[in-house]
Amino acid sequence: MLSRPSRNRSARAWWDGSRRKREMVFKSGRHFLQLPGPTNVPERIRRAMSRPTIDHRGPEFADLTLRLLDGLGEIFGADAGVLVYPSSATGAWEAALANTLSPGDRILVCVGGFFSQKWAGVARALGLQVDELVVDTRRAVDPTAVAARLANDHERFIKAVCVVHNETSTGVTSDVSSLRPAIDETGHPALLMVDAVSSLGCTEFRHDDWGIDVTVSGSQKGLMLPPGLSFVAVSGKALEAHGSATLARSYWDWSVMREFNARGFFPYTPATNLLFGLDEAVAMLREEGLDQTFARHERHAAATRRAVEAWGLDTYCQDTAAYSNAATSVVVPEGSDAEHLCAVLRERFDMSVGTGLGELKGTVFRIGHLGDLNSLMLAGALSGVEMGLSVAGIPHSRGGVSAALQFLAAGEEGLRA
Ligand code: PLP
């Protein structure tokens, strides 16, 4: 609140002082949320979520659930069903494992970054034996390396292979569609589990067609919702494994959930208002068309890389076939601190970009370009980064924003160039 100028100070000094204070506290315009999730929640979804909560045991709710499960099946490309939990995606990691495996079971986790490491950690905490296939963090998972590990497992101890489709910490997307043929070639019966937390709604994803048994995802990325919902898509083979799996589970139990879901309900109080938002998100994705949504993400990712290249910086991903549609991790030059850049962007320009996670802390920053985004929003974000690089004193060349704008102005033609 503004106080009156004191008699001892000139009006000018009072005005300058209070202006400085106002500038520090008051933020005009909107915050730029350019994290690789949570992402911007569109006005349509926010309005949908502000509806009064309804009776979660009544007929209106049952209609909502059945409609939603149908829509999610379309988005995942999963006929056998998708389950929805009121949890973050970490909960869905646990649900995938606890419902299909037994204590002491061995699994193979392709570890290529912060999130695959965390999934392996969840598995260990549940009492599973984890074999790690250590992947070059700057490249995609190699299906032949997965096949080689399975071919060597003569006793068929490995019950599941876990892969992160888009490693949000590195900005590397693996070709998940190549895994099932590689696994099948070895004749190994392992389940294939995929984390599609930051790829769903950003990059083509086909649960059934790609022979995936369990897909895990979350609400706060390509689905444009706030955090708070997670998803598990299952296959017939995963449901069969569920029948004999003995890991302890209660909250996450698929059998109970599926029994209630079949009637349009949940075994516990659902996150009703997030489900209203999800209903709207599904409608938006249908309106845009999934192929157009993926093309838009691809265009924005490519524009971001044009900017990075013109700045004279490197993307962390070194595999041109594995660039992420969702987020670009950018390496800062030796001697620079990416954390400082993130702080400058937050404080000076009211923009959040992703910090480096785990071993990449200080070395990279991550520009999220997923979810509800258009070309001008991306242009604003890249302008913020370019200003931030200057303010933070990070050596770079000018012209990144111009390069991105030129690319965006060329539209789809630019993508083909
Ligand atoms: N998997 C990936 C690829 C992620 O990016 C994240 C979070 O960013 C998670 C899993 C964990 O999700 P949550 O934080 O919602 O539990």
Side-chain angles (χ1 to χ4, degrees), residues 36-38 87-93 114-116 118 164-169 195-199 216-221 227-230 357 366:
S87 82
S88 88
T90 302
W93 273 343
F114 183 79
F115 290 104
S116 41
K118 287 199 39 156
V164 173
H165 187 199
N166 181 69
E167 219 340 312
T168 326
S169 62
D195 170 322
V197 173
S198 58
S199 58
V216 167
S217 198
S219 56
Q220 74 272 26
K221 313 248 181 196
L229 291 181
S230 70
L357 296 174
R366 298 172 300 140

Side-chain angles (χ1 to χ4, degrees), residues 141-289:
V141 171
D142 176 3
T144 58
V146 175
R149 287 292 276 269
L150 293 180
N152 273 335
D153 177 34
H154 302 293
E155 288 82 9
R156 307 303 195 222
F157 285 135
I158 296 173
K159 299 293 180 236
V161 176
C162 298
V163 182
V164 173
H165 187 199
N166 181 69
E167 219 340 312
T168 326
S169 62
T170 58
V172 174
T173 303
S174 291
D175 176 11
V176 167
S177 70
S178 65
L179 289 170
R180 172 52 64 195
I183 294 172
D184 286 353
E185 193 121 313
T186 66
H188 199 292
L191 295 169
L192 175 58
M193 301 197 189
V194 174
D195 170 322
V197 173
S198 58
S199 58
L200 194 79
C202 311
T203 302
E204 185 182 28
F205 190 84
R206 297 172 185 272
H207 176 89
D208 287 348
D209 292 351
W210 294 350
I212 301 168
D213 295 302
V214 187
T215 298
V216 167
S217 198
S219 56
Q220 74 272 26
K221 313 248 181 196
L223 291 183
M224 306 172 285
L225 290 162
L229 291 181
S230 70
F231 310 96
V232 175
V234 297
S235 70
K237 189 171 153 191
L239 290 173
E240 232 172 81
H242 173 65
S244 55
T246 59
L247 269 177
R249 54 185 180 259
S250 165
Y251 185 78
W252 307 113
D253 198 308
W254 289 352
S255 299
V256 189
M257 181 70 99
R258 283 168 56 82
E259 193 189 310
F260 274 77
N261 280 179
R263 291 177 277 120
F265 300 113
F266 286 79
Y268 35 70
T269 314
T272 307
N273 290 55
L274 281 170
L275 296 178
F276 289 153
L278 180 60
D279 200 22
E280 195 64 29
V282 171
M284 287 176 75
L285 287 169
R286 277 196 180 129
E287 277 171 40
E288 186 176 17

